């Protein structure tokens, strides 16, 4: 990890590995367990999918519920898109830029803009990673719990697990935070994701800010199948693949499922493991068979962008994750 700092790949990191009762946590000198990291798309699981799964256990929603049950004026071609398809990136809804002025008109206008955008394929017939489908899922959470997404997270997940700091929209001058945004001028919000910034920092697609201390609490809850997150019977349902050979990787209900196509977990996590990545250079993965998990928090995407004179190289970030996971395996095999 120190060599990655010297190479300019990152300037802040924390890596946590737990197996059975053994734990190792390392971090850069500028990081504590309470340092904020922009978790990017890890928030799709940590926030949005977790709340959807909780609502499923409470019988407030089902996987077969359709888009037209939650939104008005859904075109006929999209009325039968299901919650399952949105969770597994098989809805056909694709990411499109959200104009800055759109969010000023409210969630209803944002939802209509996303829904009216053409589908990439017939629902269920393909798989393309979809931030915008998760924005819609975030709106569904708000309708189910009758409160904004951030409040639903605080009232349920954060309070249930006694998370101390993690949440939405940290202060732009927060001193104990890794800088993860790829902007020369910061702007009003710290999120790296432009669409989330345009939505004033609150979106179901992710870009929340988590600390390693809180990540450990969440990951321990997952390993324990803690019913404070969602009903115990939901865990097995969520942690299996629903996408078969569609796309470049497999997806469960929110989770990415490791199979032979997936390289970023290296040789540490076998097929059937599950987790998620964040575009900023973060990830967390679990292996129930070995009772272990690994969390990687970095700001590598920004640092590589700076190193390359404002040109992104996300392949380098993916390779970094693969190398870190393989180094963990090498260490525990000694």
């Amino acid at each position: 990890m120190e060599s990655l700092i010297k190479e300019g790949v990152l300037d802040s990191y924390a890596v946590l590995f737990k197996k059975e009762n053994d734990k190792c946590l390392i971090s850069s000198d500028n990081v504590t367990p309470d340092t904020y990291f922009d978790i990017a798309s890890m928030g799709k699981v940590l926030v949005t999918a977790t709340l959807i799964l909780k609502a499923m256990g409470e019988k407030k929603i089902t996987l077969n519920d359709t888009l037209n049950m939650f939104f008005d004026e859904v075109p006929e071609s999209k009325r039968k898109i299901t919650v399952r398809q949105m969770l597994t990136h098989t809805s056909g809804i694709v990411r499109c830029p959200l104009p800055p002025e759109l969010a000023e008109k409210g969630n209803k206008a944002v939802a209509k803009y996303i829904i009216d955008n053409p589908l990439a394929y017939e629902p269920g017939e393909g798989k393309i990673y979809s931030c915008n489908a998760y924005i819609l899922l975030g709106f569904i959470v708000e309708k189910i719990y009758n409160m904004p997404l951030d409040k639903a997270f605080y009232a349920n997940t954060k309070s249930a697990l006694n998370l101390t700091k993690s949440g939405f929209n940290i202060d732009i001058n927060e001193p104990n935070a890794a800088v993860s945004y790829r902007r020369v001028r910061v702007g009003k919000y710290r999120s790296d994701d432009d669409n989330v910034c345009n939505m004033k920092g609150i979106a179901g697609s992710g870009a929340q800010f988590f600390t390693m201390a809180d990540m450990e609490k969440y990951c321990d809850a997952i390993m324990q199948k803690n019913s404070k997150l969602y009903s115990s019977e939901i865990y097995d349902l969520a942690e299996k693949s629903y996408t078969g050979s569609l796309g470049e990787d497999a997806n469960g209900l929110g989770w990415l499922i490791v199979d032979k196509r997936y390289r970023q977990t290296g040789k540490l996590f076998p097929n059937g493991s599950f987790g998620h990545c964040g575009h900023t250079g973060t990830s967390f993965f679990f292996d129930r068979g070995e009772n272990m998990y690994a969390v990687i928090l970095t700001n590598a995407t920004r640092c590589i962008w700076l190193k390359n004179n404002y040109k992104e190289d996300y392949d380098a970030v993916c390779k970094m994750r693969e190398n870190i996971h393989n180094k963990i395996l090498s260490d525990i095999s000694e």
Side-chain angles (χ1 to χ4, degrees):
M1 296 306 298
E2 290 301 319
S3 71
L4 292 178
I5 288 182
K6 292 176 182 177
E7 294 164 11
V9 173
L10 47 83
D11 64 28
S12 304
Y13 72 82
V15 178
L16 171 65
F17 179 72
K18 274 192 175 183
K19 183 174 182 179
E20 299 290 349
N21 295 320
D22 291 332
K23 165 185 169 180
C24 180
L25 171 63
I26 61 171
S27 63
S28 52
D29 292 340
N30 59 344
V31 168
T32 74
D34 288 327
T35 298
Y36 287 108
F37 283 84
D38 181 343
I39 57 165
S41 284
M42 284 168 58
K44 289 180 172 68
V45 176
L46 289 163
V47 175
T48 309
T50 290
L51 290 169
I52 291 286
L53 295 173
K54 180 178 179 63
M56 284 173 54
E58 296 169 340
K59 311 301 182 187
K60 295 178 178 178
I61 192 173
T62 76
L63 291 176
N64 295 322
D65 285 352
T66 52
L67 207 58
N68 64 297
M69 297 172 62
F70 303 100
F71 302 98
D72 299 328
E73 301 178 5
V74 179
E76 185 64 32
S77 62
K78 300 165 185 173
R79 289 176 64 82
K80 299 303 181 183
I81 290 175
T82 65
V83 170
R84 183 199 314 265
Q85 289 167 343
M86 287 189 283
L87 283 170
T88 58
H89 302 283
T90 58
S91 67
I93 298 170
V94 297
R95 180 186 175 100
C96 59
L98 303 178
E101 64 274 10
L102 184 65
E104 297 295 335
K105 300 178 181 179
N107 289 355
K108 187 175 181 179
V110 174
K112 178 173 172 53
Y113 187 88
I114 292 173
I115 292 170
D116 287 347
N117 201 56
L119 296 177
Y121 46 79
E122 287 295 312
E125 297 298 314
K127 188 173 86 72
I128 294 178
Y129 188 78
S130 179
C131 292
N132 285 5
Y134 270 79
I135 290 175
L136 294 181
L137 286 170
F139 293 157
I140 290 172
V141 167
E142 294 184 339
K143 292 173 183 287
I144 291 171
Y145 287 105
N146 194 31
M147 63 181 75
L149 181 62
D150 57 336
K151 304 300 183 185
F153 168 74
Y154 299 148
N156 292 280
T157 309
K158 186 169 183 175
S159 62
L161 299 184
N162 194 29
L163 306 183
T164 57
K165 297 192 67 172
S166 300
F168 297 69
N169 279 343
I170 63 172
D171 189 88
I172 201 69
N173 296 314
E174 166 62 45
N176 194 12
V179 178
S180 300
Y181 48 81
R182 288 163 297 155
R183 292 190 296 278
V184 177
R185 296 182 179 179
V186 184
K188 190 174 181 180
Y189 300 101
R190 285 189 71 121
S191 169
D192 179 57
D193 188 288
D194 289 339
N195 278 351
V196 176
C197 286
N198 290 343
M199 291 181 65
K200 301 181 180 180
I202 300 174
S205 55
Q208 294 81 23
F209 296 86
F210 265 67
T211 67
M212 183 59 88
D214 285 346
M215 283 299 306
E216 183 174 1
K217 291 178 182 178
Y218 181 94
C219 292
D220 285 346
I222 290 293
M223 292 304 299
Q224 297 160 5
K225 296 188 176 181
N226 192 326
S227 60
K228 290 182 178 180
L229 268 185
Y230 40 81
S231 300
S232 56
E233 68 272 12
I234 301 291
Y235 284 86
D236 290 343
L237 192 67
E239 296 165 12
K240 65 179 184 178
S241 175
Y242 289 80
T243 56
S245 60
L246 295 175
E248 297 179 351
D249 46 41
N251 285 92
L253 303 180
W255 296 110
L256 185 152
I257 309 298
V258 176
D259 64 14
K260 63 182 180 181
R261 295 170 291 178
Y262 196 71
R263 301 183 61 86
Q264 293 187 56
T265 48
K267 298 179 180 179
L268 178 62
F269 288 93
N271 292 350
S273 302
F274 60 95
H276 212 282
C277 294
H279 192 82
T280 47
T282 59
S283 66
F284 64 146
F285 283 90
F286 303 81
D287 176 11
R288 290 207 180 276
E290 293 292 329
N291 193 20
M292 70 181 191
Y293 67 79
V295 183
I296 299 171
L297 300 180
T298 79
N299 60 348
T301 300
R302 170 185 167 83
C303 291
I304 293 171
W305 173 76
L306 289 171
K307 183 180 179 181
N308 292 343
N309 195 26
Y310 309 134
K311 293 181 181 179
E312 185 176 342
D313 183 2
Y314 194 60
D315 287 341
V317 179
C318 298
K319 186 64 177 177
M320 176 201 73
R321 290 195 193 99
E322 181 181 2
N323 289 341
I324 292 173
H325 285 123
N326 281 336
K327 283 293 186 181
I328 293 173
L329 177 62
S330 175
D331 285 352
I332 64 174
S333 299
E334 289 182 354

